[in-house]
């Protein structure tokens, strides 16, 4: 679920936030970018495939599948250790930073939404193949455009509307496809439940991103690498606690031992599958945030798009998912929708850079006049 986090980050990407990257040599910078690209693509693809593998091998606990999506959040503490000291000081001493009670309440509410969203994703992946699941997840860009318009004052241009329509058509094709492939033993009714849950999860995730961006603008009033990682850590902590409570409240924890014994590939494989699923989601998050601050939010968005396109192909190779004509058309439509969305981001980014450059030029001219 972490493959589109960049939507809520950095509208004013200043040099202070990027200062650690500006000190790198060119080859070091390229190496850093390459590593983050690998983290994002491999992390998201591996997490989805391992989640499908968990169900295929006999796992059936949706609360456990929800738990592992955020349980690896301590990994995000590692980048915080290497942050520039001035960034930490700036965040903690800012006079505009809200009280601890307000921040705690904000993280708690967002954490509850993250937990609910993860549960919907878990149910969706239970009843859908990995490739179908990934294609439906692509609709989150369309939902994001709508919620950004309603909550974040983003303009709905012709390209954005085109993206929304195309992605909606892609999802509709998957929904009405008579030859839709689901996991073995999944009925048409359960397939429909999986489709609705995944679509609902995509919508809720997009809403969550818009609410987070609104929180940065209205409550936290800061979007630095440090603050963004802290939000990820604390909301993931809340979501992990909620999923743990759900596991015990529903009684699913009682069947975990039998689930481990009945896991087709063995007990060790069961544990490793859960551990690496948790790690994979957090590796993806590190890659997304790293690309935003090393390059730009646009570039991170492009790589996230590439990752979503790779996952169905990886599922085809690993699980031999059926790739019928309707699904191929849906994938091509999704890619067209992505391209339309990204091109609009490119135009916006170019316009913003020209405006910033012009503003800087005007400042220099004014200073020369004063001299």
């Amino acid at each position: 679920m972490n493959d589109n986090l960049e939507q809520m980050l950095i509208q004013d990407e200043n040099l202070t936030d990027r200062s650690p990257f500006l000190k790198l040599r060119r080859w070091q910078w390229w190496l850093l970018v390459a590593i983050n690209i690998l983290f994002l693509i491999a992390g998201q693809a591996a997490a989805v495939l391992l989640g499908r593998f968990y169900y295929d091998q006999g796992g059936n606990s949706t609360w456990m599948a929800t738990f592992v999506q955020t349980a690896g959040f301590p990994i995000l503490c590692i980048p915080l250790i290497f942050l520039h000291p001035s960034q930490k000081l700036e965040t903690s001493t800012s006079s505009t930073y809200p009280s601890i009670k307000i921040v705690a309440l904000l993280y708690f509410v967002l954490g509850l939404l993250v937990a609910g969203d993860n549960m919907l994703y878990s149910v969706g992946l239970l009843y859908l193949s990995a490739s179908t699941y990934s294609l439906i997840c692509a609709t989150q860009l369309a939902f994001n455009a709508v919620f950004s318009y309603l909550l974040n004052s983003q303009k709905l241009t012709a390209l954005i509307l085109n993206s929304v329509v195309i992605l909606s058509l892609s999802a509709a094709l998957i929904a009405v496809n008579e030859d839709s492939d689901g996991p073995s033993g999944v009925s048409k009714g359960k397939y429909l439940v999986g489709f609705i849950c995944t679509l609902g999860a995509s919508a809720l995730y997009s809403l969550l991103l818009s609410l987070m961006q609104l929180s940065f603008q209205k409550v936290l009033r800061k979007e630095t690498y440090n603050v963004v990682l802290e939000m990820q850590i604390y909301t993931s902590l809340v979501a992990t606690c909620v999923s743990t409570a759900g596991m015990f409240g529903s009684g699913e924890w009682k069947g975990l031992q039998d689930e481990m014994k009945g896991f087709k590939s063995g007990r060790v494989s069961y544990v490793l599958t859960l551990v690496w699923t948790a790690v994979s989601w957090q590796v993806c998050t590190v890659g997304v945030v790293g690309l935003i601050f090393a390059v730009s939010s646009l570039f991170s968005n492009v790589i996230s798009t590439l990752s979503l396109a790779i996952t169905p192909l990886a599922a085809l190779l690993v699980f031999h998912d059926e790739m019928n004509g309707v699904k191929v058309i849906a994938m091509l439509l999704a890619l067209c929708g992505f391209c339309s969305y990204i091109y609009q981001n490119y135009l916006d980014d170019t316009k913003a850079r020209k405006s910033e450059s012009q503003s800087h030029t005007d400042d220099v001219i004014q200073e020369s006049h004063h001299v």
Side-chain angles (χ1 to χ4, degrees):
M1 62 167 279
N2 297 297
D3 58 301
N4 284 307
L5 177 64
E6 67 275 4
Q7 299 292 335
M8 67 181 179
L9 298 174
I10 304 306
Q11 292 180 333
D12 299 318
E13 297 174 340
N14 52 56
L15 294 178
T16 301
D17 296 334
R18 293 171 179 253
S19 57
F21 302 114
L22 294 176
K23 297 178 181 179
L24 296 176
R25 295 176 180 269
R26 187 171 182 81
W27 70 268
Q28 291 175 323
W29 181 85
W30 275 111
L31 178 62
L32 178 66
V33 170
I35 291 174
N36 280 294
I37 290 175
L38 179 63
F39 280 177
L40 196 163
I41 294 178
Q44 178 168 289
V48 173
L49 294 178
L50 285 171
R52 183 62 257 163
F53 179 79
Y54 166 75
Y55 288 131
D56 284 348
Q57 294 298 306
N60 55 20
S61 173
T62 51
W63 279 114
M64 175 58 75
T66 302
F67 172 81
V68 296
Q69 290 185 51
T70 53
F73 70 88
I75 295 175
L76 297 179
C77 296
I78 298 176
L80 284 177
I81 298 175
F82 298 99
L83 278 177
H84 196 275
S86 62
Q87 290 186 9
K88 297 180 181 180
L89 182 62
E90 179 185 8
T91 300
S92 60
T93 60
S94 175
S95 59
T96 61
Y97 204 70
S99 65
I100 295 179
K101 291 182 179 180
I102 294 177
V103 174
L105 178 62
L106 174 65
Y107 290 165
F108 178 75
V109 173
L110 293 176
L112 290 178
L113 291 176
V114 169
D117 186 56
N118 290 347
M119 170 54 78
L120 290 175
Y121 275 126
S122 298
V123 175
L125 191 56
L126 174 63
Y127 296 134
L128 299 175
S129 65
S131 57
T132 302
Y133 168 87
S134 299
L135 286 174
I136 299 173
C137 286
T139 59
Q140 66 190 34
L141 273 182
F143 287 118
N144 182 75
V146 175
F147 287 125
S148 294
Y149 171 75
L150 296 175
L151 299 177
N152 308 122
S153 302
Q154 176 177 307
K155 295 180 180 180
L156 283 179
T157 64
L159 287 172
I160 293 295
L161 287 174
N162 179 64
S163 175
V164 170
V165 172
I166 292 177
L167 289 170
S168 299
L169 288 175
S170 175
L173 280 176
I174 295 295
V176 301
N177 183 18
E178 291 295 331
D179 298 324
S180 299
D181 63 312
S184 178
V186 173
S187 65
K188 287 291 183 180
K190 290 183 177 179
Y191 176 89
L192 183 59
V193 170
F195 176 86
I196 294 174
C197 285
T198 305
L199 193 65
S202 298
L204 181 56
Y205 183 62
S206 298
L207 174 61
L208 185 62
L209 293 179
S210 293
L211 290 176
M212 286 182 172
Q213 183 175 338
L214 193 65
S215 300
F216 285 125
Q217 295 170 347
K218 303 296 183 180
V219 181
L220 301 177
R221 297 188 179 92
K222 185 175 286 295
E223 292 182 84
T224 63
Y225 194 92
N226 181 40
V227 173
V228 171
L229 278 179
E230 284 183 352
M231 174 176 278
Q232 276 294 110
I233 291 171
Y234 291 126
T235 55
S236 295
L237 172 61
V238 173
T240 302
C241 292
V242 171
S243 56
T244 302
M247 194 184 307
F248 281 91
S250 65
E252 283 191 4
W253 67 276
K254 298 178 181 178
L256 292 181
Q257 187 172 1
D258 292 335
E259 184 177 280
M260 182 186 296
K261 292 179 180 178
F263 205 66
K264 295 178 183 179
S265 52
R267 297 186 181 186
V268 175
S269 177
Y270 176 83
V271 175
L272 290 177
T273 298
L274 296 178
V275 169
W276 283 110
T277 301
V279 171
S280 296
W281 281 120
Q282 302 310 315
V283 166
C284 176
T285 299
V286 172
V288 168
V289 178
L291 284 179
I292 289 170
F293 285 88
V295 189
S296 69
S297 57
L298 172 63
F299 186 78
S300 185
N301 205 352
V302 171
I303 301 302
S304 294
T305 301
L306 178 62
S307 179
L308 283 172
I310 287 176
T311 302
L313 298 178
L316 182 66
L317 295 174
V318 176
F319 298 117
H320 306 291
D321 285 357
E322 182 183 353
M323 190 62 68
N324 55 38
V326 174
K327 189 179 290 187
V328 170
I329 294 174
M331 181 182 294
L332 292 176
L333 284 173
L335 288 174
C336 289
F338 284 138
C339 291
S340 180
Y341 192 93
I342 290 172
Y343 184 61
Q344 182 61 60
N345 280 332
Y346 168 76
L347 293 178
D348 293 341
D349 185 67
T350 302
K351 183 178 179 180
R353 289 180 183 276
K354 287 183 178 179
S355 177
E356 182 180 353
S357 177
Q358 183 62 41
S359 176
H360 176 71
T361 302
D362 293 341
D363 291 341
V364 172
I365 293 175
Q366 288 181 3
E367 289 180 3
S368 64
H369 287 166
H370 286 306
V371 174

